[in-house]
Amino acid sequence: RNGAGAMPHHRRALFSAPPFFEGECVMPRRLDRVNELLRTEISQLLARQIKDPRLSGVITVTRVSASNDLRTARVYISVMGDAETKRTALDGIQSAASFLRRELRGRVTMRHTPFLTFDLDESMEEADQILRLMDSLTPNDPESRRHDGLLGPAAHTPGGG
């Protein structure tokens, strides 16, 4: 049943939802595969095709989160530099969103190429801040922890303080 204009069976299974999912939602494993495919392709496009001077720094596509119907996708990027560098890079990528979508259309076989929106991924900075806070709460000297009561009453010597 592979007519002149029909997709081969193996491609149809990868890129089109089964009939009972039509228009409703995407299976989670498939959505994960699509998100990873989009992340890889957008990363390659940013590295090789975009010549915007605002994107001259180190930019990493950390993750992509496509909607269940695969019509939109939020792309999270990490940019090395200060707040101004990050904002400038985000503006540059957002201005290239329609170009990126057009290029994706030729690279990935999907029924609908998703509309892309971009956000800064602050998770690395947040994780670094949490680790710094944890380091500041944990003294390096075990003696000072014992006297501060951080190790609990079992750590105190009898009769000592």
Side-chain angles (χ1 to χ4, degrees):
R1 192 173 169 189
N2 194 0
M7 288 179 95
H9 176 68
H10 67 279
R11 292 187 74 172
R12 187 171 40 243
L14 282 174
F15 295 107
S16 64
F20 55 88
F21 278 105
E22 202 68 43
E24 292 176 15
C25 67
V26 178
M27 293 173 279
R29 273 197 330 243
R30 178 171 176 258
L31 187 58
D32 290 342
R33 285 196 326 256
V34 168
N35 286 338
E36 183 58 27
L37 174 67
L38 291 173
R39 189 191 68 75
T40 302
E41 293 297 331
I42 293 168
S43 295
Q44 290 176 358
L45 285 169
L46 285 174
R48 298 179 184 154
Q49 302 271 334
I50 305 291
K51 302 298 181 211
D52 192 323
R54 296 175 287 185
L55 306 178
S56 61
V58 177
I59 299 171
T60 306
V61 178
T62 56
R63 65 187 168 107
V64 174
S65 179
S67 63
N68 284 339
D69 63 1
L70 300 178
R71 291 185 183 260
T72 61
R74 186 169 300 273
V75 181
Y76 294 91
I77 61 168
S78 176
V79 180
M80 296 296 286
D82 61 4
E84 181 60 30
T85 304
K86 292 177 182 185
R87 181 58 47 201
T88 302
L90 184 61
D91 290 343
I93 289 178
Q94 285 176 336
S95 71
S98 61
F99 170 78
L100 290 168
R101 182 172 186 258
R102 196 167 40 252
E103 289 295 313
L104 276 176
R105 189 176 298 135
R107 290 171 161 250
V108 297
T109 306
M110 295 174 63
R111 183 174 290 141
H112 304 285
T113 304
F115 288 95
L116 305 173
T117 56
F118 294 88
D119 278 329
L120 288 173
D121 187 353
E122 303 290 346
S123 63
M124 297 298 276
E125 288 84 8
E126 290 170 2
D128 186 50
Q129 183 179 6
I130 289 171
L131 287 174
R132 276 188 271 126
L133 283 171
M134 290 172 64
D135 286 344
S136 71
L137 293 175
T138 307
N140 294 332
D141 181 8
E143 280 296 313
S144 66
R145 288 198 318 226
R146 188 170 69 213
H147 293 301
D148 289 339
L150 294 176
L151 293 179
H156 291 281
T157 58

